[in-house]
Amino acid sequence: GAGVSQSPSNKVTEKGKDVELRCDPISGHTALYWYRQSLGQGLEFLIYFQGNSAPDKSGLPSDRFSAERTGGSVSTLTIQRTQQEDSAVYLCASSLTVASSYEQYFGPGTRLTVT
Amino acid sequence: DQQVKQNSPSLSVQEGRISILNCDYTNSMFDYFLWYKKYPAEGPTFLISISSIKDKNEDGRFTVFLNKSAKHLSLHIVPSQPGDSAVYFCAATGANSKLTFGKGITLSVRP
């Protein structure tokens, strides 16, 4: 596809379960970013990838959060033992390179609801 | 500690009038500023940007002004149209290439 895609678009899960969120960046984009938007909050940076490596994991809220990227393309964000405060919209973005991070293209997001 | 602040959560403007969206930042290392627009159920889309070496950048109905001494930027939309109704995020970046976003402001343009 032409843009960034994310799946699922909506996910409802029970507290304590693990969830996986997927991001397909724009083809050829080497940089990929994950953000979280909680209700009434701005976009909170979580992690970014340059290729398959994640130089900056400082935004991950806790060790229950992890992310990986394989083949320089698809990325998955995994949240283990979900908590209600994890409920948010998780947004993925990509840019051609990290140097062009000012030109990020966003996916539609995954709305996660933890009950 | 919020480094990019959008202190007004919402703004309502009559169609045809000017919309002025404000943003303040605290980190003096930021050197590039952007505005993103977000419709419901969609990801943010890039709208306009400005480098710290400039004080104004214009693109059609959209103009961004930067006041570095005040650490303040604003987005002007003239004339405002109902299709401009959306959430607008201010963002800033510096040497670390990480975008820092504000909380966003919901703009409503009344027909």
Side-chain angles (χ1 to χ4, degrees):
Chain A
V4 177
S5 61
Q6 292 185 246
S7 60
S9 55
N10 279 285
K11 176 74 176 176
V12 180
T13 190
E14 291 181 355
K15 177 182 170 180
K17 301 276 189 180
D18 297 353
V19 294
E20 263 192 13
L21 312 179
R22 177 187 167 108
C23 172
D24 275 280
I26 292 174
S27 178
H29 280 195
T30 63
L32 185 148
Y33 313 81
W34 283 99
Y35 296 87
R36 174 171 76 172
Q37 185 181 14
S38 303
L39 191 63
Q41 301 298 313
L43 276 67
E44 174 190 8
F45 169 80
L46 299 179
I47 189 171
Y48 85 90
F49 289 88
Q50 174 58 44
N52 292 334
S53 65
D56 185 358
K57 301 180 182 180
S58 62
L60 292 176
S62 74
D63 58 8
R64 296 186 295 104
F65 287 72
S66 63
E68 66 174 12
R69 189 179 185 196
T70 54
S73 181
V74 172
S75 175
T76 55
L77 177 70
T78 302
I79 309 173
Q80 296 178 309
R81 306 180 301 282
T82 52
Q83 303 293 313
Q84 287 185 331
E85 62 262 28
D86 299 334
S87 296
V89 176
Y90 289 82
L91 288 158
C92 174
S94 70
S95 63
L96 196 58
T97 66
V98 170
S100 59
S101 64
Y102 52 85
E103 202 165 336
Q104 294 182 26
Y105 296 84
F106 282 82
T110 293
R111 180 175 295 278
L112 175 66
T113 303
V114 182
T115 61
Chain B
D1 176 36
Q2 254 198 307
Q3 297 187 63
V4 177
K5 300 177 184 179
Q6 295 178 257
N7 293 319
S8 300
S10 63
L11 175 68
S12 181
V13 170
Q14 189 73 37
E15 180 179 6
R17 307 296 288 269
I18 185 171
S19 295
I20 300 177
L21 287 66
N22 293 307
C23 178
D24 297 288
Y25 62 96
T26 59
N27 189 338
S28 58
M29 300 305 290
F30 288 146
D31 60 9
Y32 199 82
F33 305 89
L34 309 91
W35 285 92
Y36 279 81
K37 178 178 178 180
K38 185 181 184 303
Y39 292 117
E42 295 182 12
T45 55
F46 169 77
L47 187 59
I48 192 170
S49 63
I50 188 167
S51 164
S52 60
I53 62 173
K54 294 187 171 183
D55 55 18
K56 177 182 174 181
N57 187 26
E58 191 172 350
D59 183 3
R61 297 186 296 113
F62 302 91
T63 303
V64 57
F65 295 92
L66 175 63
N67 182 333
K68 279 201 305 182
S69 61
K71 293 192 176 67
H72 176 83
L73 63 155
S74 61
L75 173 67
H76 292 210
I77 307 173
V78 182
S80 302
Q81 299 173 354
D84 296 330
S85 297
V87 178
Y88 289 78
F89 290 98
C90 173
T93 186
N96 68 1
S97 299
K98 186 163 60 174
L99 275 180
T100 301
F101 285 84
K103 289 188 177 183
I105 179 170
T106 300
L107 173 66
S108 300
V109 180
R110 307 184 304 274

